Amino acid sequence: MEVYMVEQEDLKRLPESEFDKEANLEKRLIRTDGATIGGVDVMYIGRQGTPDEGGIFDILGLDEEGNTVIVELKRGKAPREIAAQALEYASGIRKEDYEQLNQRYREFVREYGPEQPLDGDITLRDRHRTYFGLDDTVDEDDFNDNQRLILVGTEFRDVSLNMADFLREHDIDVICVEYSVYSESEVELLLTENIRRPLSEEPTSTVSSTSNAEDYSDLIITVRDHIYPQLNDDLHIEDKEQIARATEKRGMGTGSNHPDHPEPLKYGMKPLIEEEGVVRFRVNIWDAESNQHEELRRFLAENIGELEGYDMIDDPSRSMGVLHRDVKVDRNDIEVRELAQEMVDLVQFLHPRAIEEYAGHELFE
């Protein structure tokens, strides 16, 4: 490819050049909070890290859905090991939960972010919502549901592409991007070309699925439509989409608009039918101040004894699934009414008790 710089009275060809080393490309990519690489919008959360198992990855990021994205950079012709190496890193990263990713992000910002210290109240969820312009934050449990691999090199040999294609046929999103550098004086251009684009952009005839994450939207909306008539008056909710929108694929959750109900207390349901054969019902403490969080944990601990089958999470810092119960489900015979009744029972037990406990409470005014 020939690249030209258009000047006022001239057309100057820019010569193709090479970075001195792989790290130079990494430095150029990491200048901002994120980038679009290979058609994927990536928010950076880590650099040159070491997963629990495996070696060192170049850049770690998140996509809009909260999936982890490993960007592996290779100078020169991509060796046959590049796909296998990135896959090894992904196998280590896939085990990390939200708290571990949040810690990675905070360490990344401290080292590569602005000079001022990171605000202690800023979380990865908050920054992810802001970066991608989302209406709501992603659930902690929904981070890192899947992993994507972006391999970046100056040239890919057939053997590397064959390995990538094999993984893609098994719904592992491996994206291959070739880059070229053109420079002249103070002008430097980095051009990229997708050799293998994201699975979500492939025709449906060539890819059986765009994600490993299960889509439970039909079940979620059906349960929502069952519980809304029974709970809307209690929760002071006028629109059933406040419980779950039609686009929800992984779970649903609702708070209460009752003036005496503590706003951070939320009730939710998360299907894990294909993954674990259960539907998880849970009570979350969402976006609470530390003293509010502590008080609501005390309230839940006092009431859990009367909630059959529910457990309380030991970690006092966790906000999702503080109370939780897994209901076993036959994936071939899902009893929607039973799931809806479980959700109704949970809300109708805790909701009036929370109102009675916290009406006029100074912590939640």
Side-chain angles (χ1 to χ4, degrees):
M1 176 187 294
E2 292 187 346
V3 178
Y4 293 85
M5 181 171 61
V6 179
E7 298 181 333
Q8 189 171 0
E9 298 180 356
D10 194 11
L11 191 66
K12 179 182 290 186
R13 180 179 181 273
L14 297 181
E16 186 171 0
S17 61
E18 289 189 6
F19 290 134
D20 293 336
K21 53 185 178 179
E22 180 182 313
N24 286 342
L25 173 58
E26 184 182 338
K27 288 178 181 178
R28 284 158 173 80
L29 288 175
I30 214 74
R31 284 175 176 172
T32 60
D33 292 342
T36 301
I37 308 175
V40 179
D41 289 332
V42 183
M43 170 189 153
Y44 301 142
I45 66 168
R47 178 182 179 188
Q48 289 291 336
T50 303
D52 291 337
E53 298 178 8
I56 296 177
F57 57 78
D58 291 314
I59 298 174
L60 180 65
L62 296 175
D63 65 13
E64 185 172 347
E65 295 180 352
N67 300 314
T68 48
V69 181
I70 292 175
V71 182
E72 182 65 14
L73 313 174
K74 292 298 178 186
R75 179 177 175 268
K77 293 184 177 181
R80 69 162 57 220
E81 292 85 7
I82 183 172
Q85 190 175 38
L87 193 61
E88 181 183 7
Y89 303 158
S91 69
I93 288 294
R94 71 180 175 85
K95 301 176 182 178
E96 297 200 359
D97 60 18
Y98 169 78
E99 297 299 337
Q100 291 171 295
L101 294 177
N102 187 46
Q103 183 60 32
R104 281 188 182 275
Y105 174 66
R106 297 183 69 83
E107 291 172 358
F108 171 73
V109 172
R110 279 195 291 267
E111 186 167 356
Y112 299 105
E115 293 183 1
Q116 65 268 27
L118 186 65
D119 189 330
D121 294 330
I122 298 299
T123 66
L124 176 58
R125 291 172 60 217
D126 295 330
R127 184 68 188 100
H128 179 268
R129 178 181 60 81
T130 302
Y131 181 85
F132 287 103
L134 305 177
D135 292 333
D136 299 309
T137 52
V138 173
D139 238 14
E140 288 183 8
D141 289 347
D142 290 336
F143 277 92
N144 203 18
D145 267 352
N146 292 286
Q147 298 74 44
R148 310 177 82 171
L149 309 177
I150 301 180
L151 314 180
V152 182
T154 56
E155 183 179 345
F156 284 86
R157 295 173 179 170
D158 288 343
V159 65
S160 297
L161 293 177
N162 288 341
M163 292 178 66
D165 288 341
F166 175 80
L167 295 172
R168 289 163 62 86
E169 288 171 3
H170 290 77
D171 293 338
I172 298 175
D173 202 358
V174 181
I175 302 156
C176 300
V177 180
E178 287 186 350
Y179 74 90
S180 304
V181 181
Y182 296 84
S183 61
E184 175 70 21
S185 184
E186 296 182 357
V187 176
E188 183 176 66
L189 298 178
L190 174 65
L191 304 185
T192 63
E193 179 183 4
N194 276 19
I195 305 303
R196 293 294 185 271
R197 58 189 175 180
L199 288 179
S200 58
E201 297 180 9
E202 293 286 6
T204 55
S205 60
T206 62
V207 178
S208 60
S209 170
T210 59
S211 170
N212 290 332
E214 297 294 335
D215 183 347
Y216 295 109
S217 53
D218 289 344
L219 174 62
I220 290 167
I221 296 308
T222 304
V223 171
R224 179 201 69 182
D225 290 347
H226 275 80
I227 70 175
Y228 177 71
Q230 302 179 67
L231 296 178
N232 63 317
D233 288 340
D234 293 339
L235 300 176
H236 290 204
I237 290 178
E238 298 180 357
D239 184 353
K240 60 186 177 182
E241 291 219 342
Q242 290 182 257
I243 298 176
R245 297 188 297 272
T247 56
E248 297 290 349
K249 297 181 179 181
R250 301 289 295 163
M252 72 176 185
T254 182
S256 173
N257 292 331
H258 192 289
D260 293 325
H261 186 276
E263 185 176 353
L265 198 61
K266 312 291 184 182
Y267 312 93
M269 182 194 83
K270 184 179 178 66
L272 296 167
I273 299 169
E274 295 300 324
E275 300 90 336
E276 302 178 26
V278 302
V279 173
R280 181 166 297 156
F281 294 88
R282 56 191 186 176
V283 180
N284 307 320
I285 302 176
W286 182 278
D287 289 342
E289 301 291 338
S290 59
N291 54 352
Q292 293 177 330
H293 187 101
E294 182 178 351
E295 170 58 29
L296 288 174
R297 275 188 62 91
R298 181 202 62 77
F299 166 75
L300 294 175
E302 285 186 354
N303 285 277
I304 190 174
E306 297 183 59
L307 279 169
E308 183 179 355
Y310 279 83
D311 294 314
M312 187 166 190
I313 196 166
D314 292 331
D315 186 350
S317 67
R318 294 295 296 271
S319 59
M320 307 303 293
V322 179
L323 296 188
H324 55 275
R325 179 190 182 193
D326 288 349
V327 175
K328 291 184 178 181
V329 172
D330 181 351
R331 57 174 55 87
N332 298 316
D333 186 20
I334 300 175
E335 296 289 345
V336 174
R337 292 184 181 277
E338 291 183 8
L339 297 178
Q341 190 59 51
E342 180 69 30
M343 187 72 176
V344 170
D345 290 345
L346 173 63
V347 174
Q348 290 185 340
F349 175 79
L350 278 180
H351 187 267
R353 285 167 172 76
I355 292 173
E356 181 180 0
E357 181 84 13
Y358 295 111
H361 198 291
E362 60 181 6
L363 278 180
F364 302 101
E365 289 181 347

